[in-house]
Amino acid sequence: MLRVENLHVAVRDRLILKGVSLEVGDGEVHVIFGPNGSGKSTLAMAIIGHPDYRIVSGRIFFDGQDITEKPIDERARMGISIAFQNPPKLHGVKLKDLLARIASENGVGERFLEIVDRLNISQEHLNRYVNVGFSGGEIKRCELAQALASNPKLIILDEPDSGVDVENLELIGRFLSESLRGRSALIITHHGYILRHLKPVKAHVLIDGVIACEGDPDQILNRIMKDGYRWCERCRLMRGV
Amino acid sequence: MQVDERRLREALSKPAEYGEDLDLGEFEQESRERVEVDEDVRRRSLEVGVDLRRASSLTTFLQIDHEIAYRAVQKQFQGDIELMPIQEALERYPWVRELFWNLVSPYADKYTAYNALRPPSGFFLRILEGRRLHMPIQACFFSYSPGIIQSVHNLIVAEPGSEAYIITGCTMRRGDQKGLHIGVTEIFVKPGAKLNYTMIHRWGPNFHVRPRTGIILEESAATSYNYVLLGHVGSFQSKPFTRLEGRGATISMSNIIYLDGSSKMDMGGDCSIAGKNGRAELTTSAVALDRAKLTMRGRILCEADDGRGHISCRGLMLSDEAEIYTIPELISRRMNASLTHEAAIGRISEDQLIYLMSRGLSREEAESLIVRGFLDVSPLNLPSFLEESIKKIIDLAIKGF
């Protein structure tokens, strides 16, 4: 579904990703670990086609097509969606109206209301302006609703578990374990809480703009929990990456 | 109020304090065409929120140039309100003659003087004590004959404890038509009454508009005075004035402005808090395109204990040749008063655009959604069905964007 080849990405003049390659198969869920500033969000932004993230070299393939040069909105219409970590506020745009629009343009129609229900988004919340005065948990749930309302083939979740209380985490976890079935997903997480609810097939550890380590998500998470990211640092040095 | 004709004639040469000065001699005084309520009139009225096809089922007042083309009070509200031509009310009620020209000075400038010298036309609306009207009263002022000065004087009395929504649409027959609209409106809101007065205007590049409004609020009276202008206007100048006379009175004056072409608009809002615990809020959301120039004057004076006032102006610039100029004034004469203002003028945020584009919207669709969101109708304090219909009107007006 997604293939990233030797990707180098710069933000302004600073090179952040320095040769990242990975492949996510149809219906596979992958997880990206990494310390703060390692380039996790940059990878997400480069895949969705955010114009501030310049691809210096390398290629991105999605659903068999080279999308490296495609603009962000076209990629979204092809079936890539994202739940942002820090989305902007949209004054005057009601959550309900935005969801209905995303859903109708992707043939989801009224079914977005089921998503809203499962994410426990209230009528009152739906009538508020997107991200204006939302709590941390409300922002995450609103992002997931938008990301799923387009019925995407690939969904990228940028820190779905950060800044969320236990109750919301439980809800988001349950929601994702049902909603990701049959879809490809790339989940970016710093501390891995969300993995209590999801079983990704593969983990990639991103350190300083390169994939330092890959493998079984549980094993890698356990090592990170035990030894921190310094372990991956050593691992990378040992592998001579 | 008695007017002094000699003073009025003198005032005919007095320019307004703000805005472009117009030569009244360049306009026609009388209608040259036979007025007809045809499909054009119905269509353009609908663009300003007045549905003439439902005229018989809604309370409606339609004035074309100076002719009252239609008026009807919805059956269920008969006995709750009085709606009649102002001329008729002046003849029938001595107390209406007393209120006439009480809140707006006929000598203020050439426009008020011109208005006062003409035979009065416009409506008188009285919402009787304690009556609550859940359906809107709609009034439409239509400029029909090319080059005409349409001179209107409306007087509204909301009696104690009454509640009503009034939608006033003003427009004209052809988009390029020359003309001048002078609209005098005097609104008396009695103790405990609640009034929502929403105007929706659509004009054209050769049309000039000079509304003159005075509002007085008695104890615990609350009024939302809303102005929505969409598109192009040759020149516009207005500075509606509200006096919060009684204790605990509340005024919210909101403007939603989408200004394009070479429009010149000088819009104001002026509130004087004279009663304890008075609340005044002036809100403007304005989008300026092309070479449009907008000046926003907000003024709140507090002379009563525990008064609160807030001026807020948000401007969105969609052209480097446009201009938005905001002038907020706060005057406090009480230690315990609290007056604030905020203003922000900017362009569409790139973050917001990219966010919406990541959901599959094209750049143009995202821009249009942000602009529509910017022209937020929630400060108008309308019930949801009216809010929706005004949203639709705004959507329609900016569709070409």
Side-chain angles (χ1 to χ4, degrees), chain A residues 212 232-241:
Chain A
C232 304
E233 193 74 30
R234 283 201 301 277
C235 170
R236 177 167 68 127
L237 293 172
M238 279 192 294
R239 286 170 53 198
V241 175

Short mmCIF file of all heavy atoms in Angstrom, two decimals, chain A residues 212 232-241:
data_model
loop_
_atom_site.label_atom_id
_atom_site.label_comp_id
_atom_site.label_asym_id
_atom_site.label_seq_id
_atom_site.Cartn_x
_atom_site.Cartn_y
_atom_site.Cartn_z
N ALA A 212 16.61 3.34 12.79
CA ALA A 212 17.72 2.75 13.53
C ALA A 212 17.49 1.27 13.74
O ALA A 212 18.44 0.51 13.92
CB ALA A 212 17.87 3.45 14.87
N CYS A 232 18.44 1.81 21.28
CA CYS A 232 18.35 1.85 19.82
C CYS A 232 19.55 2.58 19.23
O CYS A 232 20.03 2.23 18.16
CB CYS A 232 17.08 2.57 19.38
SG CYS A 232 15.61 1.87 20.06
N GLU A 233 20.00 3.55 19.98
CA GLU A 233 21.16 4.32 19.54
C GLU A 233 22.35 3.36 19.36
O GLU A 233 23.03 3.37 18.34
CB GLU A 233 21.47 5.37 20.62
CG GLU A 233 22.44 6.45 20.23
CD GLU A 233 21.81 7.46 19.27
OE1 GLU A 233 20.57 7.70 19.32
OE2 GLU A 233 22.59 7.99 18.46
N ARG A 234 22.51 2.52 20.39
CA ARG A 234 23.63 1.56 20.32
C ARG A 234 23.40 0.56 19.19
O ARG A 234 24.30 0.23 18.44
CB ARG A 234 23.74 0.81 21.65
CG ARG A 234 24.39 1.63 22.75
CD ARG A 234 24.93 0.73 23.84
NE ARG A 234 23.89 -0.10 24.45
CZ ARG A 234 23.08 0.29 25.41
NH1 ARG A 234 23.17 1.51 25.90
NH2 ARG A 234 22.17 -0.52 25.91
N CYS A 235 22.14 0.16 19.08
CA CYS A 235 21.76 -0.81 18.06
C CYS A 235 22.14 -0.27 16.68
O CYS A 235 22.71 -0.94 15.85
CB CYS A 235 20.28 -1.09 18.19
SG CYS A 235 19.58 -2.02 16.85
N ARG A 236 21.84 1.00 16.50
CA ARG A 236 22.13 1.63 15.21
C ARG A 236 23.63 1.64 14.94
O ARG A 236 24.09 1.34 13.86
CB ARG A 236 21.59 3.06 15.21
CG ARG A 236 21.91 3.81 13.94
CD ARG A 236 21.11 5.06 13.83
NE ARG A 236 21.52 6.02 14.85
CZ ARG A 236 21.87 7.26 14.59
NH1 ARG A 236 21.89 7.70 13.35
NH2 ARG A 236 22.18 8.08 15.55
N LEU A 237 24.38 1.97 16.00
CA LEU A 237 25.83 2.02 15.84
C LEU A 237 26.38 0.64 15.50
O LEU A 237 27.22 0.48 14.64
CB LEU A 237 26.49 2.54 17.12
CG LEU A 237 26.18 3.99 17.44
CD1 LEU A 237 26.70 4.35 18.83
CD2 LEU A 237 26.78 4.91 16.39
N MET A 238 25.74 -0.36 16.18
CA MET A 238 26.23 -1.72 15.93
C MET A 238 25.96 -2.15 14.51
O MET A 238 26.76 -2.81 13.87
CB MET A 238 25.56 -2.70 16.90
CG MET A 238 26.24 -2.68 18.27
SD MET A 238 25.70 -4.03 19.31
CE MET A 238 24.00 -3.67 19.59
N ARG A 239 24.74 -1.70 14.02
CA ARG A 239 24.38 -2.09 12.65
C ARG A 239 25.14 -1.26 11.61
O ARG A 239 25.08 -1.54 10.42
CB ARG A 239 22.88 -1.93 12.41
CG ARG A 239 22.08 -3.02 13.10
CD ARG A 239 20.61 -2.69 13.05
NE ARG A 239 20.19 -2.43 11.68
CZ ARG A 239 19.07 -1.80 11.35
NH1 ARG A 239 18.27 -1.35 12.30
NH2 ARG A 239 18.74 -1.60 10.12
N GLY A 240 25.78 -0.24 12.11
CA GLY A 240 26.55 0.61 11.20
C GLY A 240 25.69 1.40 10.23
O GLY A 240 26.09 1.68 9.11
N VAL A 241 24.45 1.74 10.65
CA VAL A 241 23.56 2.50 9.78
C VAL A 241 24.05 3.93 9.64
O VAL A 241 24.41 4.53 10.65
CB VAL A 241 22.12 2.49 10.34
CG1 VAL A 241 21.21 3.37 9.50
CG2 VAL A 241 21.59 1.08 10.38
#
